[in-house]
Amino acid sequence: MAAMAKGFKITLAGESISFWAEPGLTILRASLRGGGGLLSSCRNGTCRACRCQLQAGEVSYLIEWPGLSAEEKAAGWILPCVAQAHSDLILLRPAA
């Protein structure tokens, strides 16, 4: 999907929450700026507090291998603190 003027729209599935990710921002930083409410702690891909499951869209990582197992990555889990959107996204937060 092509970027809108504001960047990419990120929607939290089942929560009626969405925010915009400007190019160059991590998904977590965009959430903090746009009221998305994603949790965070370390902001470097190790604590996993921000972990979400990617339901739709494309991301890339700022680091080679974020703190996810191969199985988690295959199941669509991402770490928004070190990921950037490359399309509109739908994310699912784990149940609290």
Side-chain angles (χ1 to χ4, degrees):
M1 271 182 199
M4 305 276 297
K6 294 182 180 181
F8 297 109
K9 184 177 182 181
I10 300 174
T11 302
L12 300 181
E15 298 187 50
S16 300
I17 296 173
S18 61
F19 54 94
W20 292 92
E22 298 170 22
L25 282 183
T26 65
I27 297 165
L28 176 63
R29 186 158 308 279
S31 169
L32 296 172
R33 286 185 176 185
L38 293 179
L39 298 177
S40 69
S41 182
C42 71
R43 299 185 187 185
N44 66 16
T46 58
C47 78
R48 301 164 46 95
C50 64
R51 187 174 71 118
C52 292
Q53 193 171 34
L54 181 64
Q55 302 287 295
E58 295 180 32
V59 301
S60 67
Y61 285 101
L62 300 175
I63 59 176
E64 187 174 329
W65 192 262
L68 296 167
S69 69
E71 293 81 13
E72 288 171 319
K73 285 184 81 171
W77 290 99
I78 66 166
L79 294 176
C81 65
V82 291
Q84 294 180 331
H86 287 276
S87 68
D88 290 349
L89 305 177
I90 299 175
L91 302 177
L92 179 64
R93 288 198 267 197

